[in-house]
C-alpha cells in the first residue's frame, strides 16, 4: 500500500504553482500535524492496514521542509510497525528550508529519498519563477543531503519557461548531473489557472522536451521522470494501485473510489475525517489505466484495448507488444496514442 502525506505550507508562492499550499498560518503547523495523525489512524483502519503492509510513503507539498523534522516524529512512530522492511520513504524539500539538521532529522525518521524542488540553477530563471532560493542554495542542499547519507536524491527541473534556450537547459542539466543525484524529474511548464503566470498572460515556450530528454543519461520511465532506479511510489500511482492520502486536499484511492478531504487548512484541522467520495465507473478506470500506462514504463494490459487498433500501432512502431501488454516507446506521444485507442 502507498501512503501520501500532504504538507500544505510554503514560505512563498511560486508564480506557476497551483498546489494546495498556504504562506500564512504557519503557527498552525503543530495543530495541522495532529489533525493529520488523526486522519492517518482513521485511514489505516479503513484500508485494513496491518504490519509491514505500507511499501512507500511520500511526504509532499507544499513544502515538507517548512515543518521541523521532530514534528513528524509522532507520525513516524505510529507508522513504524506498518512499514515494510524496505519501505521507500520520500520527502519533498525546498533548497531554502532543507537545512543540514533537517535532512539529518528526516534521515533518522527513516527517510530513504529526498526530492528537491530545484527548477533551475539559473539565478534569473529562479527569480522569474518566483522561487525563494538561489543556485548556491540548491547546490548546498543537495550536497548536504549526500553528506547526511541519502543514497537517493531527486532534482525537479522545469523547462519550456519563457527565456529558456538550449544553452541554459544544457547548463541546468549539466549542473544537476555534477551533483550526487540519481533521479531527475523534468517537468514541462504548465500554465495553471489562478496563478500569477496565468494572470500575467505568461505563456510556456517552444517545446524542449526531446532536447531535455536527450541530455539526461538516466532511464526515462515516465514522461517527466528519469532515474538510475524507478521510484516505487511513482510506479504505484501509474499502476493505479490503491493509495492512502492524508492531509488537506490529499486524494486517496481504493478500488473504484476516490476520497477527497477538504483543501481548507482551518476546515481540515477542525475535522480531518470529513471528505467527499467520487465513484469511478469501469470505463473511467479503463481510461485512467490507458493514459497512465502509456505515459510510463507500466504499459497497458492488451485486454483493455481494441486488438485491431493496437496492432496497427504496433506495425507503425508506435507500440510494442510483450507478454500480453502494450508498451509505448515514446512517452511524449502518450496522449494521442491513448485517444486513438480509447
Ligand atoms: C508538488 S511540487 C512541490 C515541491 C516543493 N515545494 C518545491 O517546489 O520545491 C513538485 C514539483 O512540481 C513541479 N511543478 C509544480 N507546478 C508546476 C507547473 N505549473 N508546471 C510544471 N511543473 C510544476 C515543480 O518542479 C515542483 O518541484
Ligand atoms: S512549487 Fe513548491 S514551493 Fe512553490 S508554491 Fe508550489 S509547492 Fe510551494
Amino acid at each position: 500500500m502507498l501512503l501520501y502525506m500532504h504538507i500544505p505550507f510554503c514560505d512563498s508562492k511560486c508564480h506557476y504553482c497551483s498546489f494546495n499550499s498556504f504562506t500564512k498560518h504557519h503557527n498552525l503547523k503543530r495543530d495541522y500535524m495532529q489533525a493529520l495523525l488523526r486522519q492517518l489512524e482513521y485511514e489505516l483502519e479503513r484500508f485494513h492496514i496491518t504490519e509491514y503492509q505500507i511499501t512507500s510513503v511520500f511526504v509532499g507539498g507544499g513544502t515538507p521542509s517548512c515543518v521541523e523534522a521532530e514534528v513528524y516524529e509522532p507520525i513516524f512512530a505510529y507508522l513504524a510497525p506498518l512499514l515494510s522492511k524496505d519501505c521507500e520513504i520520500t520527502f519533498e524539500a525546498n533548497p531554502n528550508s532543507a537545512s543540514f539538521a533537517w535532512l539529518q532529522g528526516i534521515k533518522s525518521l527513516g527517510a530513504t529519498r529526498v526530492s528537491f524542488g530545484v527548477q533551475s540553477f539559473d539565478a534569473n530563471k529562479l527569480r522569474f519563477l518566483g522561487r525563494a532560493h538561489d543556485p548556491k542554495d540548491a547546490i548546498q542542499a543537495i550536497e548536504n543531503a549526500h553528506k547526511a547519507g541519502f543514497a537517493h536524491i531527486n532534482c525537479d527541473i522545469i523547462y519550456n519557461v519563457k527565456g529558456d534556450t538550449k544553452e541554459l537547459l544544457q547548463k541546468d542539466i549539466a549542473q544537476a548531473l555534477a551533483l550526487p543525484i540519481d533521479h531527475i524529474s523534468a517537468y514541462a511548464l504548465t500554465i495553471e489557472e489562478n496563478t500569477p503566470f496565468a494572470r500575467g498572460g505568461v505563456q510556456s515556450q517552444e517545446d524542449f522536451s526531446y532536447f531535455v530528454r536527450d541530455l539526461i543519461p538516466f532511464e526515462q520511465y515516465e514522461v517527466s521522470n528519469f532515474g538510475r532506479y524507478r521510484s516505487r511510489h511513482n510506479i504505484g500511482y501509474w499502476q493505479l494501485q490503491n493509495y492512502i492520502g492524508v492531509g488537506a486536499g490529499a486524494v486517496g484511492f481504493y478500488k473504484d473510489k476516490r476520497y477527497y478531504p477538504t483543501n481548507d487548512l482551518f476546515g481540515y484541522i477542525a475535522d480531518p475525517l470529513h471528505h467527499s467520495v467520487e465513484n469511478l465507473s469501469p470505463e473511467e478506470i479503463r481510461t485512467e489505466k490507458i493514459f497512465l500506462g502509456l505515459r510510463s514504463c507500466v504499459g497497458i494490459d492488451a485486454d483493455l484495448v481494441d486488438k485491431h487498433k493496437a496492432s496497427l500501432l504496433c506495425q507503425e512502431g508506435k507500440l510494442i507488444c510483450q507478454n500480453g501488454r502494450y508498451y509505448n516507446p515514446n512517452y511524449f506521444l502518450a496522449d494521442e496514442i491513448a485517444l486513438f485507442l480509447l
Side-chain angles (χ1 to χ4, degrees), residues 16 19 61-63 92-94 117 119 131 156 158 187-190 192:
Y16 53 87
F19 282 87
T63 305
E92 281 184 339
N94 284 34
Q119 325 310 352
R131 297 293 296 179
D156 285 344
I158 297 188
Y187 298 106
L189 175 68
T190 311
E192 302 284 356

Side-chain angles (χ1 to χ4, degrees), residues 28-90:
L28 295 177
K29 275 179 206 166
R30 283 177 193 264
D31 294 339
Y32 177 81
M33 297 305 274
Q34 270 174 16
L36 191 143
L37 181 55
R38 262 189 73 204
Q39 192 201 351
L40 181 62
E41 289 167 0
Y42 170 82
E43 300 292 351
L44 292 171
E45 205 157 297
R46 183 152 64 128
F47 281 67
H48 310 294
I49 301 301
T50 54
E51 278 186 337
Y52 309 131
Q53 279 188 343
I54 297 178
T55 52
S56 172
V57 180
F58 193 100
V59 187
T63 305
S65 50
C66 269
V67 173
E68 294 77 3
E70 87 251 13
V71 180
Y72 291 98
E73 267 167 22
I75 290 171
F76 278 86
Y78 185 79
L79 280 175
L82 306 174
L83 304 180
S84 69
K85 291 285 171 225
D86 63 345
C87 190
E88 178 181 280
I89 303 179
T90 308

Side-chain angles (χ1 to χ4, degrees), residues 10 12-14 16-17 19 21 61-63 94 131:
C10 285
S12 55
K13 199 78 199 170
C14 306
Y16 53 87
C17 181
F19 282 87
S21 73
T63 305
N94 284 34
R131 297 293 296 179

Side-chain angles (χ1 to χ4, degrees), residues 134-259:
D134 65 22
K136 273 200 308 316
D137 297 330
I139 294 170
Q140 184 72 60
I142 292 174
E143 282 172 351
N144 280 345
H146 182 65
K147 265 194 236 148
F150 282 99
H152 295 311
I153 303 175
N154 173 57
C155 174
D156 285 344
I157 294 287
I158 297 188
Y159 63 90
N160 291 359
V161 175
K162 191 172 148 214
D164 271 355
T165 58
K166 286 188 173 177
E167 290 69 31
L168 188 153
L169 292 169
Q170 213 153 12
K171 277 195 194 156
D172 269 351
I173 302 295
Q175 174 61 79
L177 294 171
L179 294 166
I181 60 160
D182 59 358
H183 197 288
I184 294 182
S185 299
Y187 298 106
L189 175 68
T190 311
I191 304 296
E192 302 284 356
E193 276 176 33
N194 292 321
T195 56
F197 272 0
R199 287 192 287 273
V202 172
Q203 315 241 316
S204 57
Q205 255 237 8
E206 85 175 88
D207 184 28
F208 286 107
S209 331
Y210 290 94
F211 180 74
V212 169
R213 178 194 69 182
D214 294 342
L215 292 172
I216 303 177
F218 304 153
E219 182 204 17
Q220 184 187 27
Y221 67 108
E222 193 255 3
V223 191
S224 312
N225 282 282
F226 301 79
R228 286 201 201 283
Y229 66 96
R230 296 173 174 180
S231 152
R232 187 184 290 171
H233 205 86
N234 289 346
I235 296 281
Y237 277 151
W238 305 324
Q239 288 172 331
L240 210 65
Q241 282 183 21
N242 296 326
Y243 52 87
I244 300 174
V246 288
V251 182
F253 175 71
Y254 193 64
K255 288 187 179 157
D256 56 355
K257 290 187 172 36
R258 284 227 166 86
Y259 300 97

